[in-house]
Amino acid sequence: MNKKIIWLLVLLILLVGLGSYLLINQNLVKSFSEKSFEFVEKNISNKVNTPGPLRKEVDDEGSQLSVKGAIAETNRHRKEAGLPELEENTLLNIAAQKKVDDMFARQYFEHDSPTGEGAGDLVNGAGYEFIVVGENLALGNYKSDAVLVQAWMDSPGHRENILKSSYTEIGIAVARGTFEGRSTWLAVQHFAKPISACPDINEGLKAQIDSNNVKLDNLKLELESRKSELENKPTTREESEEYNRKVDEYNALVNEYNTLLENTKSLVASYNSQVQSFNECAKG
Protein backbone atom coordinates (compact mmCIF):
# COMPACT_ATOMS: atom_id res chain seq x y z
CA MET A 1 0.00 0.00 0.00
CA ASN A 2 1.56 3.25 -1.09
CA LYS A 3 1.87 6.29 1.12
CA LYS A 4 -0.87 8.26 -0.72
CA ILE A 5 -3.49 5.63 0.09
CA ILE A 6 -2.37 5.49 3.70
CA TRP A 7 -2.71 9.26 4.05
CA LEU A 8 -6.14 9.15 2.47
CA LEU A 9 -7.25 6.49 4.97
CA VAL A 10 -5.90 8.54 7.87
CA LEU A 11 -7.70 11.63 6.58
CA LEU A 12 -10.94 9.66 6.20
CA ILE A 13 -10.68 8.38 9.76
CA LEU A 14 -10.10 11.92 11.03
CA LEU A 15 -13.08 13.24 9.07
CA VAL A 16 -15.34 10.50 10.43
CA GLY A 17 -14.17 11.23 13.96
CA LEU A 18 -14.68 14.95 13.47
CA GLY A 19 -18.17 14.33 12.08
CA SER A 20 -19.05 12.24 15.12
CA TYR A 21 -17.72 14.97 17.39
CA LEU A 22 -19.75 17.63 15.62
CA LEU A 23 -22.87 15.44 15.72
CA ILE A 24 -22.50 14.85 19.43
CA ASN A 25 -21.91 18.56 20.16
CA GLN A 26 -24.00 20.24 17.52
CA ASN A 27 -26.35 21.91 20.06
CA LEU A 28 -25.27 24.42 22.72
CA VAL A 29 -27.08 24.61 26.06
CA LYS A 30 -28.53 28.08 26.57
CA SER A 31 -28.54 29.94 29.87
CA PHE A 32 -31.64 31.34 31.54
CA SER A 33 -31.71 34.70 33.28
CA GLU A 34 -32.02 35.08 37.03
CA LYS A 35 -35.28 36.54 38.31
CA SER A 36 -34.55 39.88 39.93
CA PHE A 37 -37.10 42.61 40.64
CA GLU A 38 -38.62 44.40 43.64
CA PHE A 39 -42.03 45.89 44.26
CA VAL A 40 -42.59 49.45 45.46
CA GLU A 41 -44.71 49.38 48.61
CA LYS A 42 -48.01 51.25 48.71
CA ASN A 43 -47.93 53.89 51.44
CA ILE A 44 -50.94 55.71 52.87
CA SER A 45 -50.19 58.34 55.48
CA ASN A 46 -53.66 58.44 57.13
CA LYS A 47 -52.58 61.65 58.82
CA VAL A 48 -54.95 63.30 61.30
CA ASN A 49 -54.48 67.00 62.08
CA THR A 50 -56.20 68.12 65.28
CA PRO A 51 -55.33 71.55 66.73
CA GLY A 52 -56.53 72.20 70.27
CA PRO A 53 -60.30 72.82 70.67
CA LEU A 54 -61.43 76.46 70.49
CA ARG A 55 -63.68 77.67 73.31
CA LYS A 56 -65.47 81.06 73.32
CA GLU A 57 -65.73 82.41 76.85
CA VAL A 58 -67.96 85.42 76.17
CA ASP A 59 -71.28 84.77 74.44
CA ASP A 60 -72.59 86.86 71.57
CA GLU A 61 -76.26 87.75 71.65
CA GLY A 62 -78.49 86.26 68.99
CA SER A 63 -76.00 83.53 68.05
CA GLN A 64 -77.01 81.57 64.96
CA LEU A 65 -74.86 79.06 63.05
CA SER A 66 -75.43 76.92 59.95
CA VAL A 67 -73.62 74.24 57.97
CA LYS A 68 -73.99 75.99 54.62
CA GLY A 69 -72.86 79.31 56.02
CA ALA A 70 -69.80 77.85 57.75
CA ILE A 71 -68.76 76.05 54.57
CA ALA A 72 -69.24 79.21 52.50
CA GLU A 73 -67.11 81.24 54.94
CA THR A 74 -64.40 78.56 54.98
CA ASN A 75 -64.25 78.56 51.18
CA ARG A 76 -64.20 82.36 51.10
CA HIS A 77 -61.01 82.36 53.15
CA ARG A 78 -59.48 79.69 50.95
CA LYS A 79 -60.35 81.62 47.81
CA GLU A 80 -58.76 84.76 49.26
CA ALA A 81 -55.62 82.71 49.90
CA GLY A 82 -55.56 81.51 46.27
CA LEU A 83 -56.64 77.98 47.15
CA PRO A 84 -59.38 75.88 45.50
CA GLU A 85 -62.69 75.64 47.31
CA LEU A 86 -63.50 72.52 49.30
CA GLU A 87 -66.34 70.32 48.12
CA GLU A 88 -68.98 69.42 50.69
CA ASN A 89 -69.07 65.68 51.35
CA THR A 90 -72.08 63.93 52.88
CA LEU A 91 -70.01 61.30 54.68
CA LEU A 92 -67.83 63.97 56.29
CA ASN A 93 -71.00 65.80 57.38
CA ILE A 94 -72.20 62.58 59.00
CA ALA A 95 -68.88 62.11 60.83
CA ALA A 96 -68.93 65.74 62.03
CA GLN A 97 -72.53 65.42 63.24
CA LYS A 98 -71.68 62.24 65.13
CA LYS A 99 -68.87 64.13 66.85
CA VAL A 100 -71.18 66.97 67.91
CA ASP A 101 -73.83 64.57 69.19
CA ASP A 102 -71.26 62.54 71.11
CA MET A 103 -69.75 65.62 72.81
CA PHE A 104 -73.17 66.76 73.98
CA ALA A 105 -74.16 63.26 75.08
CA ARG A 106 -70.99 62.54 77.05
CA GLN A 107 -70.17 66.13 78.03
CA TYR A 108 -66.59 66.39 76.80
CA PHE A 109 -64.82 68.87 74.52
CA GLU A 110 -61.76 67.12 73.10
CA HIS A 111 -60.67 65.59 69.80
CA ASP A 112 -60.58 62.13 71.38
CA SER A 113 -63.69 60.80 73.07
CA PRO A 114 -63.57 59.39 76.62
CA THR A 115 -63.23 55.93 75.06
CA GLY A 116 -60.46 56.99 72.65
CA GLU A 117 -62.27 57.50 69.32
CA GLY A 118 -60.71 60.27 67.27
CA ALA A 119 -61.44 62.09 64.02
CA GLY A 120 -59.92 59.33 61.91
CA ASP A 121 -62.15 56.74 63.57
CA LEU A 122 -65.27 58.82 62.98
CA VAL A 123 -64.44 59.46 59.32
CA ASN A 124 -63.60 55.81 58.71
CA GLY A 125 -66.76 54.79 60.53
CA ALA A 126 -68.79 56.91 58.14
CA GLY A 127 -67.34 54.87 55.26
CA TYR A 128 -64.92 57.54 54.05
CA GLU A 129 -61.44 56.30 53.04
CA PHE A 130 -58.94 59.09 53.50
CA ILE A 131 -55.34 60.01 52.90
CA VAL A 132 -55.34 62.85 55.41
CA VAL A 133 -58.04 64.29 57.65
CA GLY A 134 -58.26 67.36 59.85
CA GLU A 135 -60.67 68.35 62.60
CA ASN A 136 -61.51 71.79 64.00
CA LEU A 137 -63.68 72.08 67.10
CA ALA A 138 -65.41 75.14 68.54
CA LEU A 139 -67.65 75.63 71.55
CA GLY A 140 -69.57 78.81 72.31
CA ASN A 141 -72.22 81.23 71.17
CA TYR A 142 -70.60 82.84 68.15
CA LYS A 143 -72.63 85.63 66.56
CA SER A 144 -72.59 84.16 63.04
CA ASP A 145 -70.86 81.72 60.71
CA ALA A 146 -68.44 84.48 59.67
CA VAL A 147 -67.50 85.15 63.31
CA LEU A 148 -67.06 81.44 64.00
CA VAL A 149 -64.79 80.81 61.00
CA GLN A 150 -62.83 84.00 61.68
CA ALA A 151 -62.18 82.74 65.22
CA TRP A 152 -60.73 79.57 63.73
CA MET A 153 -58.71 81.67 61.26
CA ASP A 154 -57.26 83.69 64.17
CA SER A 155 -55.92 80.48 65.72
CA PRO A 156 -52.73 79.23 63.94
CA GLY A 157 -53.54 75.50 64.15
CA HIS A 158 -57.13 75.89 63.00
CA ARG A 159 -56.07 78.32 60.28
CA GLU A 160 -53.60 75.72 59.01
CA ASN A 161 -56.43 73.21 58.65
CA ILE A 162 -58.66 75.69 56.82
CA LEU A 163 -55.87 76.68 54.39
CA LYS A 164 -54.21 73.29 53.95
CA SER A 165 -53.71 72.82 50.21
CA SER A 166 -53.92 69.03 50.23
CA TYR A 167 -57.53 68.96 51.48
CA THR A 168 -60.18 68.66 48.78
CA GLU A 169 -63.41 68.00 50.74
CA ILE A 170 -65.15 69.23 53.86
CA GLY A 171 -67.94 68.24 56.23
CA ILE A 172 -69.40 70.44 58.96
CA ALA A 173 -71.89 70.01 61.78
CA VAL A 174 -73.25 72.72 64.10
CA ALA A 175 -75.80 72.24 66.84
CA ARG A 176 -77.09 73.96 69.95
CA GLY A 177 -77.54 72.07 73.17
CA THR A 178 -76.73 71.99 76.86
CA PHE A 179 -73.07 71.71 77.75
CA GLU A 180 -71.79 72.02 81.31
CA GLY A 181 -75.18 73.40 82.37
CA ARG A 182 -75.55 76.19 79.79
CA SER A 183 -77.11 76.50 76.36
CA THR A 184 -74.37 76.75 73.73
CA TRP A 185 -73.29 75.83 70.23
CA LEU A 186 -70.84 73.11 69.27
CA ALA A 187 -69.23 73.21 65.81
CA VAL A 188 -67.10 70.60 64.06
CA GLN A 189 -65.20 70.87 60.79
CA HIS A 190 -63.86 67.77 59.10
CA PHE A 191 -61.40 68.33 56.25
CA ALA A 192 -60.11 65.47 54.14
CA LYS A 193 -58.41 64.22 51.04
CA PRO A 194 -60.02 60.93 49.91
CA ILE A 195 -58.08 57.97 48.56
CA SER A 196 -60.13 58.36 45.39
CA ALA A 197 -58.28 61.65 44.72
CA CYS A 198 -55.11 59.67 44.00
CA PRO A 199 -54.34 57.68 40.81
CA ASP A 200 -55.71 54.16 40.66
CA ILE A 201 -53.40 51.19 41.05
CA ASN A 202 -54.30 48.31 38.76
CA GLU A 203 -54.50 45.41 41.20
CA GLY A 204 -55.20 43.11 38.26
CA LEU A 205 -51.66 43.89 37.14
CA LYS A 206 -50.31 42.70 40.49
CA ALA A 207 -52.38 39.51 40.20
CA GLN A 208 -50.88 38.85 36.75
CA ILE A 209 -47.38 39.40 38.12
CA ASP A 210 -48.04 36.96 40.98
CA SER A 211 -49.33 34.38 38.49
CA ASN A 212 -46.25 34.87 36.30
CA ASN A 213 -44.00 34.43 39.33
CA VAL A 214 -45.52 31.05 40.06
CA LYS A 215 -44.97 29.99 36.43
CA LEU A 216 -41.39 31.28 36.50
CA ASP A 217 -40.60 29.35 39.69
CA ASN A 218 -42.05 26.15 38.22
CA LEU A 219 -40.17 26.63 34.96
CA LYS A 220 -36.93 27.24 36.84
CA LEU A 221 -37.31 23.99 38.77
CA GLU A 222 -37.94 22.11 35.54
CA LEU A 223 -34.97 23.78 33.84
CA GLU A 224 -32.64 22.89 36.69
CA SER A 225 -33.84 19.29 36.57
CA ARG A 226 -33.40 19.06 32.80
CA LYS A 227 -29.99 20.73 32.93
CA SER A 228 -28.72 18.09 35.34
CA GLU A 229 -29.70 15.44 32.75
CA LEU A 230 -27.47 17.18 30.21
CA GLU A 231 -24.34 16.95 32.33
CA ASN A 232 -23.58 13.43 31.04
CA LYS A 233 -22.22 13.91 27.53
CA PRO A 234 -23.03 11.31 24.85
CA THR A 235 -20.34 9.01 23.52
CA THR A 236 -22.16 7.34 20.62
CA ARG A 237 -24.16 8.50 17.65
CA GLU A 238 -27.36 7.07 19.15
CA GLU A 239 -26.75 8.79 22.47
CA SER A 240 -25.96 12.06 20.73
CA GLU A 241 -29.29 12.09 18.91
CA GLU A 242 -31.16 11.67 22.19
CA TYR A 243 -28.88 14.21 23.85
CA ASN A 244 -29.52 16.80 21.14
CA ARG A 245 -33.27 16.24 21.40
CA LYS A 246 -33.10 16.99 25.11
CA VAL A 247 -30.98 20.07 24.44
CA ASP A 248 -33.58 21.36 21.97
CA GLU A 249 -36.36 20.86 24.52
CA TYR A 250 -34.27 22.50 27.23
CA ASN A 251 -33.43 25.49 25.04
CA ALA A 252 -37.10 25.90 24.10
CA LEU A 253 -37.95 26.05 27.82
CA VAL A 254 -35.15 28.59 28.35
CA ASN A 255 -36.66 30.78 25.63
CA GLU A 256 -40.09 30.45 27.23
CA TYR A 257 -38.68 31.30 30.66
CA ASN A 258 -36.68 34.31 29.45
CA THR A 259 -39.60 35.69 27.43
CA LEU A 260 -41.95 35.36 30.42
CA LEU A 261 -39.33 36.94 32.69
CA GLU A 262 -38.92 39.99 30.43
CA ASN A 263 -42.70 40.34 30.19
CA THR A 264 -42.99 40.15 33.98
CA LYS A 265 -40.24 42.75 34.45
CA SER A 266 -42.20 45.08 32.18
CA LEU A 267 -45.38 44.47 34.22
CA VAL A 268 -43.48 45.12 37.46
CA ALA A 269 -42.10 48.40 36.09
CA SER A 270 -45.61 49.49 35.10
CA TYR A 271 -47.06 48.48 38.49
CA ASN A 272 -44.25 50.22 40.40
CA SER A 273 -44.80 53.39 38.38
CA GLN A 274 -48.48 53.36 39.35
CA VAL A 275 -47.64 52.81 43.03
CA GLN A 276 -45.06 55.62 42.97
CA SER A 277 -47.63 58.00 41.49
CA PHE A 278 -50.12 56.96 44.18
CA ASN A 279 -47.55 57.38 46.96
CA GLU A 280 -46.61 60.84 45.72
CA CYS A 281 -50.28 61.84 45.83
CA ALA A 282 -50.80 60.12 49.19
CA LYS A 283 -48.13 62.12 51.02
CA GLY A 284 -51.00 64.27 52.22
Side-chain angles (χ1 to χ4, degrees):
M1 184 179 297
N2 61 37
K3 291 183 179 180
K4 183 179 286 187
I5 294 174
I6 293 173
W7 278 111
L8 286 172
L9 290 172
V10 170
L11 181 59
L12 181 62
I13 292 170
L14 289 173
L15 288 173
V16 171
L18 180 60
S20 297
Y21 175 81
L22 291 174
L23 179 63
I24 292 172
N25 297 278
Q26 66 179 349
N27 287 346
L28 297 175
V29 177
K30 294 181 178 179
S31 297
F32 58 89
S33 305
E34 286 298 322
K35 185 173 67 173
S36 177
F37 44 75
E38 295 181 359
F39 290 107
V40 174
E41 292 295 326
K42 180 179 177 180
N43 297 315
I44 302 177
S45 62
N46 289 133
K47 293 179 182 176
V48 179
N49 301 314
T50 52
L54 185 67
R55 183 189 291 257
K56 183 175 176 58
E57 300 297 339
V58 179
D59 290 344
D60 293 335
E61 292 184 7
S63 177
Q64 188 65 42
L65 303 178
S66 69
V67 170
K68 294 297 182 184
I71 290 176
E73 283 298 313
T74 299
N75 278 330
R76 181 176 67 81
H77 284 286
R78 285 179 64 89
K79 188 175 180 179
E80 288 176 356
L83 295 168
E85 294 185 359
L86 299 172
E87 183 177 348
E88 183 179 1
N89 182 278
T90 301
L91 296 179
L92 292 179
N93 281 343
I94 291 171
Q97 186 62 54
K98 186 173 182 180
K99 179 66 174 179
V100 166
D101 294 342
D102 192 50
M103 287 191 293
F104 273 128
R106 294 200 273 179
Q107 294 290 290
Y108 71 94
F109 184 53
E110 299 290 342
H111 287 290
D112 289 339
S113 74
T115 47
E117 294 87 6
D121 300 308
L122 289 170
V123 170
N124 276 328
Y128 187 102
E129 295 183 85
F130 68 91
I131 298 294
V132 59
V133 77
E135 182 179 77
N136 283 351
L137 303 181
L139 182 153
N141 292 317
Y142 296 86
K143 180 72 174 178
S144 64
D145 299 315
V147 173
L148 167 65
V149 176
Q150 186 60 55
W152 274 325
M153 285 293 292
D154 292 339
S155 168
H158 300 88
R159 177 188 180 90
E160 183 179 348
N161 263 344
I162 290 173
L163 300 183
K164 191 172 181 63
S165 61
S166 60
Y167 295 141
T168 60
E169 297 182 331
I170 188 172
I172 289 183
V174 295
R176 188 162 192 158
T178 301
F179 187 85
E180 295 179 343
R182 71 187 184 104
S183 177
T184 189
W185 287 86
L186 278 173
V188 176
Q189 284 182 315
H190 278 162
F191 309 90
K193 179 179 183 178
I195 286 181
S196 60
C198 293
D200 285 337
I201 297 174
N202 185 353
E203 295 301 333
L205 197 60
K206 180 63 164 58
Q208 182 61 58
I209 293 168
D210 291 340
S211 176
N212 284 5
N213 270 328
V214 172
K215 293 177 183 178
L216 286 168
D217 290 340
N218 290 337
L219 278 172
K220 184 177 180 180
L221 289 174
E222 186 174 358
L223 283 167
E224 289 173 344
S225 175
R226 286 178 178 252
K227 190 173 183 180
S228 66
E229 295 177 1
L230 299 177
E231 292 177 355
N232 297 321
K233 302 298 182 180
T235 56
T236 67
R237 182 181 298 274
E238 290 75 16
E239 289 177 352
S240 72
E241 290 176 353
E242 177 64 14
Y243 178 85
N244 286 330
R245 183 186 65 77
K246 290 182 178 181
V247 170
D248 288 339
E249 292 177 351
Y250 173 85
N251 286 341
L253 277 179
V254 169
N255 290 337
E256 180 182 349
Y257 177 92
N258 288 341
T259 298
L260 182 59
L261 180 60
E262 289 305 311
N263 175 258
T264 304
K265 286 181 178 178
S266 177
L267 294 178
V268 169
S270 178
Y271 177 81
N272 284 346
S273 177
Q274 291 180 18
V275 174
Q276 286 170 340
S277 296
F278 178 90
N279 287 347
E280 186 64 29
C281 171
K283 286 180 180 179

